[in-house]
Amino acid sequence: MPEQYIAGRWTEPAGDARLEVLNPFDASVLAESAQASPDEIEAAVRAAREAFDTGPWPRTPAAERGALLRRVADLLVRDKEEIARVETLDTGKTLVESRIDVDDVTAVFRYYADLADKDAGRIVDTGQAHVRSRVVHEPLGVCVLITPWNYPLLQLSWKVAPALAAGNTMVIKPTEVTPLTSFMLVRLLEEAGVPAGVVNILLGDGRTVGAPLTEHPAVDMVSFTGGLATGQAIIRASAGTIKRVAVELGGKNPNIVFADSDFETVVDNALTAVFLHAGQVCSAGARLIVQEPMYDDLVAEIGRRAARIRLGNGLDEGTESGPLVSAAQRAKIEDFVASAHAEGARLVAGGHRPDEPELQKGYFYRPTVFADVHRGMRVVREETFGPILTVERFTTEQEAIALGNDTEYGLSGAVWTADIGRAERVAGALRHGTVWINDFGPYVPMAEWGGFKRSGNGRELGPTGLAEYQETKHVWHNTTPAPVRWFTA
Ligand code: TXE
């Protein structure tokens, strides 16, 4: 099991609670360990606090911080295959996906390496000749970074890279379900030369280690990606000490198809949109919303293709989709399927575990398609976070927009149409943080990512992703001080 890293030292966790990390392909134990103790949580926060208050990192020239991030990117390139293999073992996703993840993580480090020294603040013209006024950005302080299990390394990079670029110190609480590559990344940060105390990482679950960190008075900021209920708990926990909180809480993402779209392209993209990584993606296109003339044909073809998706070991060449991450996550999916049946949805594909003997030990579930669903059904309203696609029908553009916005979430959505005017109208009307036109899923480090409504607050990536980790200060410099003579006595 990875050791934890506190104040520049690797140690075995000393807490009472134990943790097992399982390979979701066959439920074998990849690693086991104790969890961080209350004393170790305290030590990690103290180390980050001291490194921020008196250490070199927040005072290091931004260009040097950028250079360190660039070294991390080079080390990621060096270790790409090993990191990708471990990510696949831990999450179950295919090796192809894990390699893309490592490439994306590398790109994120390079992006923030380049951005680190580009922020010179702003000169303000006060209209007063004797005043020099400027607005500057400073590091925020001690940041707690809490990550989920679906993209453990990628999500961590979206937080660590800008937090470091901005000059902060941090305590990382990675997911306890798939933590292995997070520890590998911290080893690379150490190798790249991050000073002791700047980055600390603790092993443990949300209740034992996550919650105390979010309440800690010496912590200035919490950045969290995960489920809605946990996000709400973190916002409540942070209220006592008025921390800055940035949360990304998933989505229920509409994929809207107008009948003038190319049939083959839409079928192909709709499948990838929802079944990539067994649907365990915050931006999964889990709600397909199809215009009437195309509806029946599209449902039939998607059902046919979904039934042919090859499940297997993520390490094997021909595998198209791996298992769900855990027994708990599969139980949740089975519960959603039962509720969809009970509420009258029409099953088109899947709806059961696979039959192959070699898949019986792991947490597999067949890609599942339900048609003729409506908004009242639980499977349409709630984030399933698994391989379930629901298909709804519409007739007019207004209906499509209303359906696309009829969700408590607002992370992402897509519109497919050959009519560019309509594409822009629908994209403009959708209340989601990312909207794709004639595409689904791509993102780049240069463009912000985050949610409207209950999908969260704040943004990751892009310049805003750096600003999340900065304080803003206005410096007013009176170059010719003189008495103001307000009080005359
Ligand atoms: O996530 P949790 P879970 C959604 C998805 C999934 C559901 C639940 O719908 O089915 O969330 O997944 C830490 N204080 N997403 O239960 O609990 C925890 O240890 C501080 C969407 O696995 O949100 C882990 O590190 N931390 C999503 C992290 O929070 C706490 C990705 C996420 O766990 C804590 C994953 C607490 N009180 C799931 N409780 C997305 N937005 O992409 C838990 N944690």
Side-chain angles (χ1 to χ4, degrees):
M1 190 73 181
E3 297 175 309
Q4 62 194 6
Y5 188 62
I6 301 171
R9 286 185 51 238
W10 292 95
T11 55
E12 296 267 350
D16 297 330
R18 295 204 69 78
L19 199 72
E20 273 189 344
V21 179
L22 302 180
N23 179 343
F25 169 66
D26 58 7
S28 60
V29 179
L30 291 171
E32 58 186 322
S33 152
Q35 303 192 43
S37 67
D39 283 351
E40 289 164 335
I41 295 169
E42 197 52 42
V45 173
R46 206 177 326 112
R49 189 75 259 166
E50 280 173 22
F52 187 80
D53 292 342
T54 58
W57 188 249
R59 288 155 275 278
T60 297
E64 279 179 39
R65 296 201 295 257
L68 187 140
L69 263 60
R70 219 164 278 120
R71 285 201 292 282
V72 176
D74 293 342
L75 295 172
L76 283 160
V77 171
R78 183 194 70 188
D79 293 352
K80 174 177 166 178
E81 276 308 305
E82 178 57 9
I83 295 171
R85 205 181 63 82
V86 173
E87 194 73 322
T88 287
L89 286 171
D90 207 0
T91 64
K93 68 175 70 173
T94 64
L95 206 44
V96 175
E97 288 173 74
S98 294
R99 288 188 182 120
I100 293 172
D101 283 1
V102 182
D103 286 344
D104 287 357
V105 168
T106 308
V108 168
F109 272 92
R110 290 204 199 290
Y111 173 72
Y112 283 110
D114 289 345
L115 207 62
D117 62 355
K118 302 297 178 293
D119 175 21
R122 196 168 93 239
I123 301 291
V124 176
D125 182 353
T126 63
Q128 300 173 53
H130 64 289
V131 171
R132 301 281 173 272
S133 163
R134 64 186 188 275
V135 173
V136 293
H137 297 132
E138 298 183 351
L140 184 61
V142 174
C143 305
V144 162
L145 312 180
I146 302 178
T147 54
W149 43 258
N150 57 338
Y151 287 87
L153 185 67
L154 186 75
Q155 295 293 343
L156 185 56
S157 75
W158 290 15
K159 302 180 193 306
V160 167
L164 280 176
N168 296 285
T169 64
M170 61 209 70
V171 179
I172 298 167
K173 208 304 280 173
T175 165
E176 67 276 23
V177 184
T178 58
L180 301 182
T181 53
S182 302
F183 287 86
M184 293 174 93
L185 178 64
V186 172
R187 293 250 177 218
L188 297 188
L189 293 170
E190 184 189 30
E191 188 179 343
V194 171
V198 173
V199 175
N200 306 273
I201 184 168
L202 297 174
L203 192 62
D205 60 33
R207 194 173 46 84
T208 313
V209 179
L213 287 170
T214 60
E215 291 159 6
H216 201 292
V219 169
D220 299 295
M221 192 256 193
V222 180
S223 174
F224 168 77
T225 303
L228 179 57
T230 308
Q232 289 167 327
I234 287 174
I235 290 169
R236 276 194 292 272
S238 66
T241 48
I242 316 291
K243 298 183 197 331
R244 186 181 298 183
V245 183
V247 296
E248 198 262 70
L249 307 176
K252 189 72 188 178
N253 313 287
N255 193 7
I256 299 171
V257 178
F258 284 88
D260 60 358
S261 310
D262 178 68
F263 187 80
E264 248 319 294
T265 306
V266 164
V267 169
D268 180 81
N269 278 276
L271 287 165
T272 320
V274 64
F275 294 129
L276 195 77
H277 194 14
Q280 303 167 115
V281 182
C282 52
S283 55
R287 280 181 76 197
L288 190 60
I289 299 173
V290 185
Q291 198 172 26
E292 191 54 68
M294 199 190 254
Y295 182 88
D296 288 332
D297 289 348
L298 200 68
V299 167
E301 183 61 6
I302 282 184
R304 196 182 67 78
R305 296 267 306 268
R308 287 170 32 187
I309 291 174
R310 284 194 304 274
L311 306 184
N313 187 344
L315 292 176
D316 292 345
E317 189 81 358
T319 297
E320 293 179 324
S321 180
L324 292 164
V325 76
S326 64
Q329 201 57 25
R330 182 169 63 182
K332 199 175 149 189
I333 293 310
E334 291 181 326
D335 190 48
F336 271 115
V337 170
S339 82
H341 281 304
E343 291 180 317
R346 173 164 66 92
L347 183 69
V348 179
H352 58 87
R353 298 181 184 189
D355 303 322
E356 295 91 323
E358 66 274 19
L359 303 184
Q360 297 308 311
K361 281 193 194 155
Y363 311 123
F364 285 93
Y365 200 80
R366 283 295 322 163
T368 296
V369 180
F370 281 108
D372 306 346
V373 299
H374 59 76
R375 169 78 182 114
M377 296 176 178
R378 223 186 107 214
V379 72
V380 180
R381 281 196 321 272
E382 295 179 21
E383 183 183 51
T384 58
F385 227 65
I388 303 180
L389 177 68
T390 63
V391 198
E392 294 158 81
R393 70 177 88 215
F394 73 91
T395 307
T396 66
E397 185 178 313
Q398 283 317 309
E399 263 181 80
I401 292 168
L403 284 170
N405 284 334
D406 191 5
T407 162
E408 290 172 348
Y409 289 100
L411 188 62
S412 67
V415 52
W416 295 83
T417 177
D419 178 337
I420 53 170
R422 177 158 63 196
E424 288 296 334
R425 283 194 302 276
V426 175
L430 286 178
R431 302 275 301 149
H432 294 270
T434 295
V435 178
W436 294 286
I437 298 175
N438 293 334
D439 214 331
F440 200 105
Y443 80 95
V444 286
M446 302 73 112
E448 278 74 0
W449 179 265
F452 285 27
K453 303 198 271 184
R454 291 190 198 170
S455 287
N457 59 34
R459 288 293 179 272
E460 300 194 281
L461 303 180
T464 316
L466 184 70
E468 292 284 353
Y469 295 95
Q470 292 174 319
E471 276 292 10
T472 300
K473 181 185 282 176
H474 176 208
V475 180
W476 173 284
H477 181 183
N478 184 345
T479 59
T480 47
V484 289
R485 303 202 192 289
W486 183 280
F487 300 108
T488 52

